[in-house]
Amino acid sequence: MALPQGGRPALSMPMTSLIGRQREIAMVCEMLERADVRLLTLTGPGGVGKTRLAMAAAEHLEDRFRDGVVAVSLASVHDPTLVVSTIVDALGLPETRNQSHQEQLVSFLSDADILLVLDNFEHVVEAAPLLSNLLADCHLLNVLVTSRSRLRLHGEHEIVVPPLALPTSDPENLAALSECESIALFVQRANDRRSGFTLNETNAASVVDICNRLEGLPLAIELAAARTAVLTPKVMQERFDQILPLLADGPRDAPARQRTIRETITWSYQILSPHHQQVLRRLAVFTDGWSIDAAEAVLPDDVGGPDAVLTALEVLLDSSLVSTIEHPDGAQRFAMLDVVEEFVREELVASGEWPLMRDRHADWVLGIAPPAWVDQASAYVTVTRWQPAMRAEEANVRAALSWLAKHPHRTRDFSQLAMGLTVYWQARGTVREGLEWLELAMAANRGDEQRISWWIQCSIAHLLHTTGADDRAMELLEDGMAFAREHRDDGLLSAFATLAGLILQEHDAFDRSHALLSEALVVATRSGIAAAAAQLQFLLALVAAERGDLVKARELVEDSLRGFRAANAEGWGIGNALEISGVVYLLSGENTEAVAAFQESVRELGKYGDTTNLILAFSGLSAALLAMGHAAASARLVGILDGLCQRTGIVPYLPERDILDETRAVVRLTLGEERFSAIHGIGTTMSLAPSIRFALDLDLNMEVDASQAASPPISDPLTPREHDVLRLLIDGKSNQEIAAALFISPNTAANHVANIMNKLRLESRTAVAAWAARHGFLE
């Protein structure tokens, strides 16, 4: 078992060192090494250090589990139904057409010796039965959970995470005090803020008092220690005496420690200036953090402009109420700890500014999201520009969708955002979530502007097709095309007819597909929708290839490439056009050119991990390599394809599906069963990222396989009359035309064609043409 997307996700470890907790770490490790403990929950109040303890224990255990440790933060997941998809995403598993997320998760983890760390489970506790099901179906799986409360599941073991040890020795015994966990944490964090801070005879009594009054809660101690940048421990102790009695406003039924940490956060908040309190409150509108650009866009003008925002963030960072995260690519985000965010958000609601800030937040998300759905091609043209931003702000996007969906006066904005995310949901692999939002948008627009509803319906059909629900998608598309023709709406007609033509093409209805795609091309050209026209040209090239008209197919795909390049398309459009170009080269017997086209397609599509279309490019590349004599490399790619298709449920479209089937059969005969199985098996274990590298790093000067170079891998099984039929068949002739050319009946021609396919073990005319190109019948 190998983790997808290039291997094991690295554990995200905090920047600061862990003070103490050696006993607790040992306890967690000991429990998880027991055969009878497969579900362990770390419980305790907010701020007690459950996450830090879990991550430290996981780091110690990483080599204990064969397939490693995967940590999943559920802090930003507020809907229990999204827990499964969040875990699937953390594992890097792509969306599948034929499995639910839970089925996909069980399938992947069924034989995985892995530790799954689920952090912040308390607010999605309704999803707890999922863990029982996973553990029942995945016998090597172990789960470590952090939660403020038990999950109450059979087989659950619990460790209550205690506060840090409090000082018991006399304040004058500095050596003994320095060994106390709570004191050591205070001193370390104070030294982080004010270099050179040490525990001494002057401040020891005050530090002891502060740690005792904070009851050893790590977060509370860290927040207090941060104040040493401006306050001495003695002054801080005095301020505690003045403020705490006034701020004992925690829920009476809440644990005492939880009330204490609330008091600590309140105190930290109160010593900010009114201006910085306001900035902090307003920043609580974000979910799962924000960038500096986002803060500048969402905070109202009365904050004072970009410079004032940056200055305020510096103050909030110094107060430990906000933290900063720097990513490996240099990007920076800001965030609040959960307990801080919860408190500050309550303050924002109490201030009366919550609706204003949620509206401003939604406006910001609308500004960074893709434009509303026009057509698949136009959305994909800029996919590499907006996809990274959407990935980084996914939690904020969900929050904006939720807010807009609940406010009827913003229905149009909700619909625009949901439609704009259609292609993102497909590329991201979260199609089911996208369908839920689009269905809500459809319901919200009933009785309103009719055209928006039709665009939403087009988006729904697009995502239904991605899941394989083609019958339902075609029903929506037929209705949409009828409306568009009646109202002479070129934009709608182009979008609906394009998708309908694509689906029909994949179901071998080539005549009707050609008619719809041709109609859509006329409409798109007339309307000046350049990217849509370019997409339609490569789809029509596929139809031409299926019909055997390779000259026309080449003309169309070259026009498509020119169109995408003129539109400054990125990744998807050019990658797909290059893939179709490779198919045409392959069917024409121009194998070197086919390999080059397929590799360029992989390079473009690999920019954003388009699994569906990469599978098509890999299929063609495996066939082209086989035709050049590189059977071993071809077998590896066939293995890669079989592994990817099995894990994702994706099935290659025509003609790539037939090309792959024929390649698999031929390379198996070429290498022999034993060698083929060994090479193929290596490929099936490869995830997407290493597969892309393999395809791009191929050495085309490598020595060809002797058995492949010596003679065609399949002996010629056809009769002379079948050779005559074959030549006409690969010229794209229909059975009727073959019959007329050879002076035989149409039934006899059809029988000959069927016999040829049966003898070659192929299922389509395209596959027969590919076989003929490989074995010299087109020369």
Side-chain angles (χ1 to χ4, degrees):
M1 204 265 330
L3 291 174
Q5 303 296 334
R8 179 187 307 175
L11 287 175
S12 177
M13 302 305 297
M15 296 291 291
T16 54
S17 59
L18 180 64
I19 305 297
R21 297 301 194 194
Q22 297 309 309
R23 186 178 67 86
E24 289 81 8
I25 292 172
M27 186 185 304
V28 173
C29 292
E30 180 183 354
M31 292 280 285
L32 287 172
E33 287 176 349
R34 285 168 43 185
D36 62 327
V37 179
R38 297 181 56 218
L39 172 60
L40 180 61
T41 305
L42 305 185
T43 62
V48 79
K50 299 182 295 294
T51 299
R52 292 294 300 270
L53 174 58
M55 292 299 103
E59 187 177 32
H60 279 73
L61 290 164
E62 198 163 15
D63 294 330
R64 152 70 175 78
F65 294 89
R66 183 190 69 216
D67 298 309
V69 178
V70 177
V72 183
S73 173
L74 301 175
S76 63
V77 181
H78 299 289
D79 183 351
T81 64
L82 294 177
V83 169
V84 178
S85 60
T86 303
I87 298 173
V88 166
D89 185 55
L91 288 167
L93 303 182
E95 184 78 1
T96 64
R97 294 185 178 187
N98 58 354
Q99 288 182 310
S100 68
H101 277 131
Q102 183 153 345
E103 290 169 340
Q104 185 184 12
L105 196 56
V106 169
S107 175
F108 181 76
L109 294 175
S110 59
D111 63 347
D113 183 14
I114 198 168
L115 175 63
L116 185 63
V117 182
L118 302 178
D119 191 32
N120 297 110
F121 207 98
E122 61 272 354
H123 57 293
V124 288
V125 73
E126 292 87 352
L130 159 72
L131 303 186
S132 293
N133 296 335
L134 278 179
L135 290 165
D137 293 331
C138 308
H139 301 296
L140 297 178
L141 175 66
N142 284 259
V143 181
L144 176 62
V145 175
T146 73
S147 175
R148 296 184 190 182
S149 59
R150 290 177 55 213
L151 306 184
R152 299 187 180 278
L153 296 175
H154 289 296
E156 180 187 17
H157 292 74
E158 179 186 13
I159 292 179
V160 178
V161 180
L164 295 175
L166 293 170
T168 57
S169 60
D170 188 279
E172 294 182 2
N173 189 345
L174 298 182
L177 282 178
S178 297
E179 296 296 321
C180 174
E181 290 179 347
S182 58
I183 299 295
L185 177 61
F186 185 97
V187 172
Q188 179 63 58
R189 296 297 180 260
N191 188 64
D192 291 341
R193 290 296 182 180
R194 194 174 78 185
S195 181
F197 181 91
T198 59
L199 191 69
N200 55 44
E201 294 177 356
T202 303
N203 61 29
S206 297
V207 172
V208 168
D209 184 59
I210 290 169
C211 290
N212 279 325
R213 299 185 70 173
L214 295 178
E215 298 186 352
L217 288 172
L219 175 59
I221 292 171
E222 292 195 3
L223 290 170
R227 300 276 60 79
T228 58
V230 291
L231 301 174
T232 67
K234 182 174 177 57
V235 172
M236 194 184 307
Q237 182 186 16
E238 294 170 353
R239 292 180 69 87
F240 263 100
D241 291 335
Q242 295 168 5
I243 295 176
L244 285 177
L246 303 175
L247 302 177
D249 58 352
R252 293 186 181 277
D253 58 348
R257 294 190 186 101
Q258 191 170 358
R259 293 200 301 271
T260 301
I261 197 168
R262 182 179 182 85
E263 291 165 353
T264 305
I265 296 169
T266 304
W267 167 69
S268 297
Y269 176 76
Q270 288 289 347
I271 65 174
L272 293 172
S273 70
H275 171 70
H276 291 136
Q277 289 178 10
Q278 183 185 57
V279 172
L280 183 64
R281 284 198 309 269
R282 290 172 171 179
L283 289 171
V285 75
F286 290 103
T287 301
D288 199 28
W290 64 90
S291 65
I292 183 66
D293 291 338
E296 291 171 352
V298 172
L299 292 175
D301 294 338
D302 56 14
V303 167
D307 290 341
V309 170
L310 186 58
T311 300
L313 282 173
E314 291 174 346
V315 172
L316 297 176
L317 283 168
D318 286 341
S319 73
S320 290
L321 290 167
V322 167
S323 60
T324 182
I325 306 164
E326 185 172 344
H327 294 278
D329 62 0
Q332 184 183 27
R333 288 182 69 76
F334 300 87
M336 300 179 200
L337 291 168
D338 291 347
V339 289
V340 175
E341 183 180 285
E342 182 179 350
F343 168 84
V344 178
R345 191 165 288 172
E346 290 175 4
E347 293 293 314
L348 179 61
V349 171
S351 73
E353 293 182 312
W354 178 248
L356 166 69
M357 294 308 301
R358 287 304 302 266
D359 275 333
R360 290 184 65 89
H361 176 270
D363 291 339
W364 164 69
V365 170
L366 284 162
I368 65 170
W373 171 270
V374 176
D375 61 86
Q376 181 187 17
S378 296
Y380 264 119
V381 162
T382 57
V383 67
T384 55
R385 299 176 202 168
W386 48 255
Q387 191 187 42
M390 291 296 94
R391 287 294 298 268
E393 302 297 351
E394 198 165 74
N396 281 308
V397 171
R398 284 178 177 146
L401 284 165
S402 180
W403 175 259
L404 293 171
K406 295 173 183 175
H407 293 80
H409 70 285
R410 302 213 62 178
T411 293
R412 186 178 184 86
D413 289 330
F414 173 52
S415 302
Q416 295 283 351
L417 181 56
M419 287 188 291
L421 291 166
T422 299
V423 169
Y424 173 73
W425 283 317
Q426 184 201 27
R428 178 76 171 86
T430 52
V431 175
R432 294 180 181 89
E433 179 186 356
L435 283 169
E436 291 175 3
W437 288 117
L438 288 166
E439 293 289 357
L440 282 176
M442 178 68 83
N445 277 278
R446 287 196 176 98
D448 291 336
E449 185 179 342
Q450 202 171 22
R451 192 169 190 268
I452 291 179
S453 296
W454 286 110
W455 279 115
I456 297 171
Q457 183 161 313
C458 189
S459 295
I460 291 172
H462 179 72
L463 294 187
L464 284 171
H465 167 54
T466 302
T467 68
D470 287 348
D471 290 343
R472 176 60 182 146
M474 282 301 298
E475 291 177 7
L476 299 179
L477 294 171
E478 294 285 2
D479 290 345
M481 287 187 290
F483 173 86
R485 291 186 182 112
E486 179 183 352
H487 292 81
R488 299 182 179 181
D489 191 319
D490 283 354
L492 277 174
L493 181 57
S494 174
F496 277 109
T498 298
L499 184 53
L502 174 62
I503 294 175
L504 289 168
Q505 182 185 102
E506 292 166 13
H507 289 269
D508 299 345
F510 297 113
D511 289 343
R512 191 171 173 218
S513 172
H514 183 269
L516 284 176
L517 294 173
S518 298
E519 179 184 17
L521 179 58
V522 169
V523 171
T525 303
R526 182 172 65 212
S527 303
I529 310 175
Q535 180 197 18
L536 285 158
Q537 285 167 330
F538 78 62
L539 291 176
L540 284 165
L542 272 178
V543 175
E546 284 291 337
R547 290 175 160 179
D549 190 348
L550 300 179
V551 174
K552 182 63 175 177
R554 183 167 299 180
E555 291 175 358
L556 284 165
V557 80
E558 288 173 354
D559 288 343
S560 175
L561 275 169
R562 281 193 292 270
F564 278 122
R565 285 171 175 146
N568 295 317
E570 301 177 14
W572 178 86
I574 291 175
N576 275 277
L578 285 166
E579 191 274 325
I580 302 304
S581 178
V583 170
V584 175
Y585 280 127
L586 184 65
L587 296 178
S588 301
E590 299 174 71
N591 300 315
T592 302
E593 293 82 357
V595 168
F598 287 129
Q599 285 186 310
E600 281 303 304
S601 174
V602 170
R603 194 182 313 279
E604 289 292 328
L605 296 169
K607 290 177 180 177
Y608 65 102
D610 183 350
T611 305
T612 299
N613 289 300
L614 280 166
I615 282 176
L616 303 182
F618 288 155
S619 299
L621 181 58
S622 66
L625 288 169
L626 176 62
M628 293 179 70
H630 302 305
S634 177
R636 174 80 71 90
L637 273 169
V638 172
I640 286 171
L641 284 158
D642 288 344
L644 287 173
C645 291
Q646 183 177 11
R647 290 192 294 272
T648 64
I650 296 171
V651 178
Y653 306 146
L654 291 171
E656 294 89 351
R657 181 167 67 244
D658 292 325
I659 290 172
L660 175 59
D661 290 343
E662 195 244 346
T663 301
R664 185 187 296 104
V666 173
V667 77
R668 188 190 300 271
L669 288 172
T670 302
L671 296 176
E673 186 63 39
E674 184 176 350
R675 190 177 176 208
F676 170 79
S677 296
I679 298 172
H680 178 273
I682 294 171
T684 59
T685 65
M686 294 173 63
S687 56
L688 191 60
S691 299
I692 291 171
R693 290 194 296 271
F694 175 78
L696 296 180
D697 294 342
L698 286 166
D699 180 8
L700 298 182
N701 294 318
M702 58 187 166
E703 186 176 345
V704 300
D705 292 272
S707 58
Q708 176 74 2
S711 61
I714 299 178
S715 60
D716 184 358
L718 305 182
T719 66
R721 173 55 85 182
E722 287 169 348
H723 274 284
D724 294 335
V725 172
L726 176 63
R727 292 187 184 94
L728 294 168
L729 188 153
I730 60 180
D731 282 339
K733 304 298 185 184
S734 66
N735 289 347
Q736 191 77 30
E737 291 170 325
I738 292 172
L742 298 179
F743 302 102
I744 58 178
S745 72
N747 285 339
T748 301
N751 288 335
H752 281 310
V753 171
N755 287 338
I756 291 169
M757 292 182 179
N758 186 50
K759 286 182 177 181
L760 299 180
R761 290 176 292 176
L762 302 173
E763 297 181 357
S764 76
R765 292 170 179 253
T766 303
V768 171
W771 181 90
R774 286 176 188 51
H775 303 298
F777 286 91
L778 297 183
E779 296 177 357

